[in-house]
């Protein structure tokens, strides 16, 4: 076991470090963070729109009119349905920042390029008509949301790469002396913006002549579909938690690294559920593995589902060290922050405690997955609940107000208690013996001085 | 003395900030101690006199050390034990030692 840890330290840590420091993955992760506050606010309206209280719908319709839900959901459309636009801007901004070139220009160019790559028409079937007509001059909202996410991130990364290469090669318009710096700076973006938009335009025209018809269709066939299939399966979920916890075992923030790679996939899967839920809250939702699946049902108390461990420390610890770690950890633990446990207990580099720390989330993924796929527990509805929301409340909210979501959280905490218990006892006993040993040693010391 | 702490989301370090502020008050120290997330750390670097990383983001050390030292700002990782036990006093002393170096 000691060999395993030193292997992780030597081999896995440098790789994890390189992944975490990879500029484009970092920019994608940070760009996604930009849209999270909006999604949480949108979720608030989503929850209010579908409160599972008997008679609620009739009450709302009588009070606010038949259109109450449509109107209530306006903010949902303005948050969830424009996430590709916002994320694209955010990714370009953060990437440009890393290259130390003007991030605002890079963000603006990326948004323009994304819109240029997107068809500006939709097909619409008027009532009573048999064939769909093409409506021109619109921005298709479906492609501005999660469906356009991969295209927008891809364009943001590529356009910012072109942008910074041209700037760094110093191919810019130079204004004569005496022109205010603010004016000349706005001309700097001119050449790179022209090159990027020209390239996107040519690409779009080229693709329109193929059977793919749009860049969106290519990306969803080539990239998005296989990624979603991989990230959305039980096996994908298991691999993700294993990687997260093996990284944590050597003391690296595993979730931050895995989110960089799979964050966009989980966000897309989550939004597929939201779209179905918004149409009909009683409908069968397509995905189980989403961002919420991990945050709400696997990580109670933080990575490793350590809330149960903290409860054990509070209730059953004999050693002073475990008692005080328990008291220190319960406050943050309720909000799913567990660095005090991970480094204080410690779990990091600890061959004994790493076993339940990896085993526990592994078991919880399997149990939660089957509980949801067999229909015992409601699936995450696409409502975006902050990961710091305490368990039991968060499970209720993330399922769009289903009590089964909370019950599964309670069951999962109980299962974690069982898994952690024997390991906790061994560790606590060892700490207790150490403390007793110290005490006796001190007493012996005192006695001998007294005799002298 | 301005001390900047950094972890993944700036959450667990902010717990440590409280403890460090207590320790700083006891010493009668002036200055600002604050915590930010990993993506914000570059924007805060200039205001710091010393930068401390949570052990869970220690893979950021090489990059930040380079950026920090170009500006004469020492950067290092907090000891996992002090981090886990939220030992504000030890971490504060660690920061002072780094800054004097």
């Amino acid at each position: 076991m000691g060999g395993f840890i030193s292997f992780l330290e030597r081999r896995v840590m440098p790789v994890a470090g390189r992944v975490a420091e990879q500029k484009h993955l970092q920019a994608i992760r940070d760009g996604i963070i930009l849209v999270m506050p909006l999604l949480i606010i949108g979720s608030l309206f989503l929850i209010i729109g579908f409160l599972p209280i008997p008679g609620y719908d009739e009450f709302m319709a009588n009070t606010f009119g038949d259109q109450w839900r449509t109107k209530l959901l306006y903010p949902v459309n303005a948050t969830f349905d424009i996430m590709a636009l916002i994320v694209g801007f955010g990714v370009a901004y953060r990437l440009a920042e890393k290259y130390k070139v003007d991030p605002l220009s890079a963000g603006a160019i990326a948004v323009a390029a994304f819109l240029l790559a997107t068809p500006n028409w939709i097909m619409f079937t008027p009532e009573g008509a048999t064939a769909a007509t093409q409506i021109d001059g619109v921005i298709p909202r479906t492609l501005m949301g999660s469906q356009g996410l991969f295209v927008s991130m891809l364009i943001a990364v590529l356009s910012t790469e072109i942008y910074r290469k041209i700037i760094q090669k110093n191919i810019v318009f130079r204004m004569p002396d005496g022109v205010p710096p603010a004016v000349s700076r706005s001309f700097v973006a001119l050449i790179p913006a022209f090159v990027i938009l020209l390239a996107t335009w040519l690409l779009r025209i080229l693709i329109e002549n193929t059977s793919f018809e749009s860049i969106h269709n290519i990306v969803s066939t080539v990239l998005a579909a296989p990624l979603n299939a991989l990230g959305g399966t039980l096996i994908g979920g298991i691999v993700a938690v294993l990687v997260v916890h093996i990284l944590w075992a050597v003391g690296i923030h595993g979730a931050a690294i895995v989110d960089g790679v799979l964050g966009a996939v989980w966000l897309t899967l989550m939004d597929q559920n939201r779209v179905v839920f918004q149409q009909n809250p009683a409908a069968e939702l397509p995905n189980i593995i989403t961002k919420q699946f991990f945050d709400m049902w696997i990580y109670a108390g933080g990575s490793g589902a350590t809330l149960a461990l903290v409860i054990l420390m509070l209730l059953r610890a004999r050693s002073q060290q475990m008692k005080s770690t328990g008291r220190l950890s319960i406050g943050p633990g309720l909000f799913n922050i567990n660095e005090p446990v991970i480094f204080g207990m410690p779990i990091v580099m600890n061959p004994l405690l790493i076993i339940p720390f990896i085993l526990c989330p592994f078991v919880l993924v399997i149990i939660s997955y089957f509980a949801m796929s067999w229909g015992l527990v409601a699936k995450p509805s696409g409502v975006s609940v902050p990961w710091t929301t305490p368990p039991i409340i968060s499970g209720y909210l993330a399922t769009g107000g289903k009590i089964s979501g909370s019950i599964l959280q309670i069951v999962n905490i109980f299962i974690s208690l069982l898994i952690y218990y024997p390991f906790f006892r061994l560790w606590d006993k060892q700490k207790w013996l150490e403390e007793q040993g110290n005490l006796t040693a001190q007493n012996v010391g005192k006695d001998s001085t007294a005799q002298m | 003395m301005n001390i900047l702490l950094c972890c993944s989301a700036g959450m667990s370090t902010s717990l440590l900030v409280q403890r460090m502020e207590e320790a700083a008050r006891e010493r009668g120290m002036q200055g600002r101690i604050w915590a930010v997330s990993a993506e914000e750390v570059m924007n805060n670097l200039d205001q710091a006199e010393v930068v401390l990383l949570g052990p869970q983001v220690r893979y950021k050390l090489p990059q930040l050390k380079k950026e920090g030292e170009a500006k004469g700002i020492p950067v290092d990782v907090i000891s996992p034990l002090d981090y886990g036990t939220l030992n504000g006093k030890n971490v504060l002393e660690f920061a002072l030692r780094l800054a004097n170096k």
Side-chain angles (χ1 to χ4, degrees):
Chain A
M1 205 62 199
F4 176 61
I5 289 178
S6 75
F7 166 81
L8 289 178
E9 179 82 27
R10 267 184 298 115
R11 300 277 171 201
V12 178
M13 215 179 89
V15 177
R18 272 204 296 281
V19 172
E21 287 305 298
Q22 211 285 328
K23 278 196 177 72
H24 304 107
L25 285 178
Q26 261 186 350
I28 286 173
R29 199 187 57 214
D30 300 349
I32 288 177
I33 289 172
L34 185 66
V35 81
M36 290 322 284
L38 297 181
L39 297 190
I40 290 166
I41 291 167
S43 295
L44 208 69
F45 287 87
L46 202 55
I47 291 171
I48 300 171
F50 298 101
L51 280 180
I53 303 169
Y56 176 72
D57 283 17
E58 292 75 22
F59 169 78
M60 292 299 276
N62 290 337
T63 319
F64 299 107
D66 284 342
Q67 289 294 305
W68 71 275
R69 186 171 279 142
T70 311
K71 288 174 184 167
L72 186 70
L73 296 185
Y74 286 161
V76 180
N77 304 333
T79 49
F80 282 91
D81 286 350
I82 55 158
M83 68 165 91
L85 269 183
I86 307 270
V87 167
F89 180 87
V91 171
Y93 187 100
R94 293 297 182 198
L95 189 60
E97 214 173 36
K98 287 178 208 310
Y99 287 123
K100 297 192 169 59
V101 292
D102 183 27
L104 268 179
S105 303
I109 296 169
V111 170
F114 172 57
L115 285 175
L116 182 50
T118 305
N120 54 332
W121 63 79
I122 49 166
M123 298 308 285
F124 178 70
T125 319
E127 242 183 284
T130 44
T133 16
Q134 179 173 321
I135 312 273
D136 285 327
V138 296
I139 297 175
R141 201 169 69 191
T142 46
L143 296 178
M144 297 296 111
S146 59
Q147 271 195 50
L149 204 56
F150 282 99
V151 175
S152 114
M153 292 189 313
L154 203 68
I155 287 181
V157 167
L158 292 176
S159 79
T160 307
E161 280 296 329
I162 298 173
Y163 176 78
R164 66 108 185 171
K165 283 236 166 72
I166 294 176
I167 300 272
Q168 284 168 350
K169 287 213 163 90
N170 219 357
I171 309 172
V172 291
F173 273 120
R174 227 165 290 283
M175 291 287 113
D177 286 345
V179 174
V183 176
S184 65
R185 219 176 304 136
S186 69
F187 278 91
V188 166
L190 212 54
I191 292 180
F194 180 72
V195 172
I196 291 162
L197 293 179
L198 185 73
T200 316
W201 176 67
L202 288 173
L203 193 68
R204 172 170 165 179
I205 295 204
L206 196 76
I207 292 169
E208 274 180 356
N209 287 314
T210 69
S211 57
F212 279 113
E213 288 175 358
S214 81
I215 297 176
H216 288 270
N217 291 340
I218 294 187
V219 169
S220 70
T221 321
V222 177
L223 194 68
L227 266 178
N228 288 350
L230 198 73
T233 57
L234 176 60
I235 300 296
I238 289 174
V239 171
V241 288
L242 286 180
V243 173
V244 167
H245 289 85
I246 287 170
L247 290 174
W248 263 122
V250 286
I252 288 194
H253 201 301
I257 294 169
V258 171
D259 261 15
V261 182
L262 286 172
V265 173
W266 289 335
L267 196 62
T268 312
L269 295 170
M270 163 191 143
D271 199 48
Q272 286 174 2
N273 280 12
R274 193 267 310 176
V275 171
V276 176
F277 179 77
Q278 196 176 326
Q279 295 291 324
N280 171 16
E284 180 71 15
L285 300 172
N287 305 306
I288 293 174
I289 306 281
T290 56
K291 186 83 182 73
Q292 287 72 41
F293 177 79
F294 298 101
D295 284 350
M296 305 308 146
W297 286 281
I298 313 303
Y299 300 147
S303 299
T306 53
L307 188 61
L309 183 59
V310 176
I311 294 171
L312 286 174
M313 283 193 252
L314 278 178
L315 298 180
R316 307 296 302 222
R318 287 171 78 197
S319 67
Q320 280 309 318
Q321 195 187 326
M322 286 308 104
K323 278 183 191 164
S324 68
T325 309
R327 279 196 297 271
L328 199 64
S329 307
I330 186 70
L334 285 174
F335 297 93
N336 306 316
I337 296 164
N338 66 348
E339 276 83 350
V341 192
I342 288 187
F343 295 106
M345 189 166 186
I347 292 171
V348 170
M349 306 285 181
N350 184 330
L352 179 72
L353 288 167
I354 279 172
I355 301 169
F357 183 75
I358 295 176
L359 184 66
C360 199
F362 172 76
V363 171
L364 295 185
V365 166
I366 295 172
I367 288 173
S368 309
Y369 186 89
F370 284 111
M372 287 176 187
S373 76
W374 290 338
L376 299 173
V377 173
K379 293 174 188 169
S381 64
V383 167
S384 182
V385 183
W387 61 267
T388 45
T389 313
I392 302 177
I393 303 170
S394 64
Y396 181 76
L397 294 176
T399 46
K402 306 266 172 29
I403 204 79
S404 63
S406 302
I407 294 172
L408 180 61
Q409 288 183 313
I410 297 170
V411 170
N412 281 356
I413 292 173
F414 191 72
I415 292 166
S416 329
L417 279 172
L418 294 180
I419 295 175
Y420 272 112
Y421 188 67
F423 298 93
F424 162 77
R425 277 303 293 270
L426 279 170
W427 185 250
D428 185 45
K429 192 176 170 197
Q430 193 179 326
K431 289 286 133 185
W432 185 75
L433 285 174
E434 279 171 22
E435 284 168 10
Q436 295 310 104
N438 279 339
L439 230 69
T440 357
Q442 276 163 16
N443 286 344
V444 170
K446 258 182 218 152
D447 286 347
S448 53
T449 30
Q451 273 168 9
M452 275 161 67
Chain B
M1 174 94 158
N2 289 338
I3 305 169
L4 173 63
L5 274 66
C6 162
C7 69
S8 188
M11 296 262 183
S12 61
T13 30
S14 60
L15 294 169
L16 187 60
V17 164
Q18 290 176 0
R19 302 294 179 106
M20 289 174 71
E21 278 171 344
E22 283 167 29
R25 262 199 303 280
E26 277 168 28
R27 280 166 159 262
M29 270 176 57
Q30 296 290 316
R32 178 170 168 233
I33 305 170
W34 77 111
V36 299
S37 64
E39 54 270 9
E40 283 173 280
V41 67
M42 287 309 293
N43 299 334
N44 282 266
L45 201 60
D46 286 334
Q47 294 131 50
E49 287 168 71
V50 53
V51 178
L52 299 179
L53 300 181
Q56 72 275 35
V57 290
R58 64 181 183 279
Y59 51 79
K60 289 194 84 71
L61 184 65
Q63 182 214 345
L64 284 176
K65 218 181 170 82
K66 207 174 74 195
E67 301 272 357
E69 272 164 12
K71 296 171 175 168
I73 305 163
V75 182
D76 212 337
V77 178
I78 303 166
S79 113
L81 189 66
D82 287 338
Y83 197 81
T85 52
L86 297 178
N87 193 327
K89 197 162 154 279
N90 278 4
V91 178
L92 185 68
E93 277 163 13
F94 177 59
L96 291 174
R97 275 203 306 280
L98 272 177
N100 288 337
K101 202 167 61 180

